[in-house]
Amino acid sequence: MTLLAKGSARSSEVAAAVSNLRLKFPGEDTLVFQGLSFSIRQGEKVLLLGPSGCGKSTLLQVLSGIIPRAVEVPMKTDELKVPMQPGFVFQDPDTQFCMPYVDEEIAFVLENLATPREEMPALIQHYLDQVGLHVEPVHTPIQQLSQGMKQRLAIASVLALTPDVLMLDEPTALLDEEGTKQVWDTIRAIASDKTVLIVEHKITGILDFIDRIVVFSPDGKIIADGGPEQVFRDYRRELMEYGIWYPGVWDDYAESQREADGLLQIAEPSVAMLSMEQFEGLRGGESKVMVECLKAYAGDWIAVIGRNGAGKSSLLLAIMRLIRTKGTCRIAGARGTKVVQLAEKIAFVFQNPELQFVTNSVEDELAYTLSDTDVLKPEVQAAVERQLDYYDLTTLRARHPFQLSTGQKWRLSVASAMVGGQKILLLDEPTFGLDARNTFQLLTKLEQLRQDNTLIIMVTHDPEIVRRFATRVWQVSDGRVTEVPLESGLATETSLESDSGQALAEGGADSGCH
């Protein structure tokens, strides 16, 4: 049954619908959906919630016609209504762009609609103004835009299609706090009279826009359908059980961990594991990130914060020598400064875990790192078994890494990176796109590593992670890395950027190596 939030006035006309959907991906043994029926009315604003891997994004692609028109997936339905003109916004805007320049991206859409060329400049400016994207000149390379600006451009190009239904698949997953706010402000401004269907884990800042929430179980069944207040009130137990984000979930997680021995206890700094002085990371001959003087110790959990494009990822790449560097960066116990030598001491986990996978099974992925070392074969297998058990991957040992859920991929990427016993772990946004269950499982494993004196340096946009796990905070602003007081890191990144001068004046500046 479809319920509307109290006070909502929506048309009874169905905008998109599917009845008795059965769908199975090639190579998989089980169906993603086993008789799912769902519909959305004209003018409704609907949020789909559920654990990772339950099929939310797949449903969005079916309702938009991407499946099976563009992506051939075996499916059957009793009835399917696809909007005449769906507008689909992907999680990563870079995957959506067809042209290299801002104006050309929208012009590409207009050309496909047979818009007269003389009308295009005014329309291009109109759609940019609609989403609040102000670039001068409009013939600006897209790659010069921040992630938030890119996502607004993606929305502008979709608006040029004059869509009947706007479908958003985790549009803020890759964005910082400011970029997230920009996107949701844009959606509010342009979609008050539109039908909107959203898949999203980051629900803060969007709930007041939503009429209706539909919650899915791990096996793709609808378990709740109603207004936000009703769903969060009446289905809290199910949301907790399935690890779905809901208001107050972080406090519930903290409460559940208070009985765990030693969890979140902050160790005193001990051995200096990393020391940087006048250290720079360069790309294309230009300095992208610079550290005057910082040290990191065994048992530190350092949150690296800052706006999209500030240089956070470049810092990790520079430490690992995956980009050119200048200055000094000492790694305790490392035999040299080449990547292969540093890999003996440092484990690096990329933002996209799939970039790290090189074998055809979970078990082989764990063994691969040790295959070129002097570790004996029985010891390699023992190390693999320890990682399988520690990261809850034993039952998945024969599965191809690309067939894992997002949370399982992250656990495998950390497990394979750490199989050699490294005591420094670099992570680039390891929780983006994860549901609550997988987020907490990963963070709990990382905290256990930290308590075992592993140094963790994590790029994150999540202030809750900073607040509840970090022992120190490094802020990256315009490519410069400085330490700020831990309490400053509890604010949103927007506040940090605007108040950075004050934070430094209060003692966060690098007056010496810390």
Side-chain angles (χ1 to χ4, degrees):
M1 180 172 65
T2 300
L3 301 174
L4 285 178
K6 185 177 180 180
S8 294
R10 298 291 179 250
S11 167
S12 60
E13 184 178 349
V14 173
V18 64
S19 176
N20 196 20
L21 171 63
R22 291 91 72 201
L23 183 148
K24 186 172 80 72
F25 286 105
E28 292 291 315
D29 296 329
T30 58
L31 294 174
V32 178
F33 297 113
Q34 304 180 53
L36 175 75
S37 294
F38 171 86
S39 65
I40 179 172
R41 300 175 189 171
Q42 293 282 0
E44 271 192 304
K45 315 293 188 289
V46 179
L47 173 65
L48 305 183
L49 289 181
S52 297
C54 70
K56 305 182 299 296
S57 295
T58 301
L59 175 60
L60 212 62
Q61 293 179 40
V62 169
L63 292 171
S64 69
I66 293 177
I67 295 177
R69 294 175 184 172
V71 180
E72 294 185 8
V73 176
M75 59 170 279
K76 292 182 178 180
T77 67
D78 290 353
E79 184 180 1
L80 175 62
K81 180 176 181 179
V82 174
M84 288 291 293
Q85 194 66 276
F88 201 104
V89 178
F90 291 88
Q91 180 185 98
D92 184 354
D94 285 311
T95 65
Q96 197 155 339
F97 297 140
C98 300
M99 306 300 289
Y101 292 90
V102 170
D103 56 342
E104 291 179 356
E105 183 63 27
I106 300 178
F108 179 79
V109 177
L110 298 176
E111 286 178 350
N112 280 278
L113 296 175
T115 303
R117 183 173 293 273
E118 62 272 14
E119 297 178 12
M120 287 186 183
L123 285 171
I124 289 170
Q125 193 59 56
H126 166 72
Y127 290 119
L128 291 176
D129 289 343
Q130 264 200 301
V131 300
L133 181 56
H134 307 296
V135 290
E136 196 63 43
V138 292
H139 192 65
T140 293
I142 292 175
Q143 292 310 309
Q144 291 184 8
L145 305 181
S146 69
Q147 284 295 106
M149 295 171 75
K150 287 181 181 178
Q151 195 61 284
R152 280 185 285 168
L153 175 59
I155 295 170
S157 64
V158 167
L159 289 177
L161 291 168
T162 60
D164 303 323
V165 179
L166 192 58
M167 300 183 179
L168 308 165
D169 191 4
E170 296 196 54
T172 69
L174 302 178
L175 302 183
D176 58 17
E177 295 296 314
E178 175 62 17
T180 297
K181 181 178 183 300
Q182 289 172 355
V183 168
W184 290 138
D185 286 350
T186 297
I187 297 302
R188 285 189 182 87
I190 58 95
S192 60
D193 61 343
K194 294 183 180 297
T195 306
V196 184
L197 186 57
I198 304 171
V199 170
E200 185 59 273
H201 285 301
K202 293 163 62 176
I203 59 175
T204 303
I206 191 61
L207 291 179
D208 62 338
F209 177 71
I210 297 299
D211 299 315
R212 173 182 162 211
I213 291 178
V214 179
V215 182
F216 292 83
S217 65
D219 57 358
K221 296 178 180 177
I222 294 176
I223 59 173
D225 187 346
E229 183 178 345
Q230 177 221 334
V231 168
F232 292 134
R233 181 189 66 235
D234 296 346
Y235 294 91
R236 191 180 187 91
R237 182 180 62 81
E238 288 83 358
L239 296 172
M240 292 178 64
E241 179 183 353
Y242 295 135
I244 300 168
W245 292 111
Y246 60 88
V249 66
W250 278 101
D251 290 334
D252 288 347
Y253 169 72
E255 181 66 29
S256 71
Q257 296 301 321
R258 288 198 177 107
E259 298 178 1
D261 293 337
L263 189 60
L264 305 186
Q265 293 179 357
I266 298 177
E268 291 297 323
S270 53
V271 180
M273 303 289 288
L274 172 68
S275 178
M276 296 178 284
E277 297 180 41
Q278 302 302 317
F279 182 61
E280 293 184 70
L282 301 94
R283 287 180 168 179
E286 296 183 2
S287 178
K288 294 298 182 182
V289 65
M290 191 272 180
V291 182
E292 289 185 4
C293 194
L294 283 173
K295 288 184 179 179
Y297 300 86
D300 274 341
W301 184 323
I302 298 173
V304 182
I305 63 173
R307 292 178 183 266
N308 283 110
K312 303 182 300 297
S313 297
S314 294
L315 173 63
L316 302 191
L317 293 171
I319 291 172
M320 199 68 194
R321 306 307 200 278
L322 292 172
I323 59 175
R324 286 185 56 212
T325 63
K326 292 197 307 186
T328 302
C329 178
R330 298 185 182 91
I331 307 298
R335 296 183 299 169
T337 58
K338 294 182 178 180
V339 175
V340 67
Q341 295 166 325
L342 292 176
E344 297 175 358
K345 298 295 178 181
I346 307 177
F348 189 103
V349 180
F350 290 86
Q351 187 178 82
N352 183 353
E354 290 186 356
L355 295 176
Q356 293 178 239
F357 301 148
V358 295
T359 70
N360 295 320
S361 75
V362 169
E363 184 173 14
D364 289 345
E365 196 67 35
L366 293 171
Y368 180 82
T369 304
L370 300 176
S371 60
D372 291 331
T373 67
D374 55 4
V375 178
L376 298 176
K377 189 171 182 179
E379 294 174 350
V380 169
Q381 190 58 41
V384 168
E385 294 298 330
R386 285 195 298 271
Q387 295 297 86
L388 287 171
D389 179 63
Y390 188 79
Y391 289 95
D392 303 318
L393 296 168
T394 302
T395 60
L396 303 169
R397 64 193 309 150
R399 185 172 297 186
H400 194 290
F402 284 7
Q403 293 180 330
L404 301 177
S405 70
T406 303
Q408 292 164 349
K409 287 175 183 176
W410 269 111
R411 294 208 303 276
L412 175 58
S413 65
V414 176
S416 59
M418 298 292 288
V419 71
Q422 295 91 330
K423 300 301 289 185
I424 301 176
L425 177 58
L426 311 180
L427 303 116
D428 194 355
E429 285 282 357
T431 61
F432 90 85
L434 295 187
D435 59 22
R437 178 191 301 277
N438 282 293
T439 295
F440 296 145
Q441 283 182 346
L442 179 59
L443 292 173
T444 300
K445 293 297 185 185
L446 294 177
E447 172 59 20
Q448 292 168 352
L449 290 172
R450 188 200 67 78
Q451 290 191 29
D452 193 33
N453 282 325
T454 298
L455 163 62
I456 297 173
I457 302 178
M458 175 195 284
V459 171
T460 183
H461 288 307
D462 194 328
E464 291 291 350
I465 293 177
V466 178
R467 174 186 176 191
R468 300 172 188 273
F469 288 89
T471 64
R472 298 168 62 189
V473 178
W474 290 352
Q475 181 184 345
V476 187
S477 181
D478 295 327
R480 184 170 180 247
V481 186
T482 54
E483 181 150 10
V484 298
L486 183 60
E487 57 270 18
S488 296
L490 305 183
T492 64
E493 291 184 72
T494 307
S495 299
L496 278 171
E497 289 291 335
S498 60
D499 297 337
S500 59
Q502 178 184 354
L504 296 177
E506 292 174 350
D510 295 329
S511 55
C513 265
H514 302 296

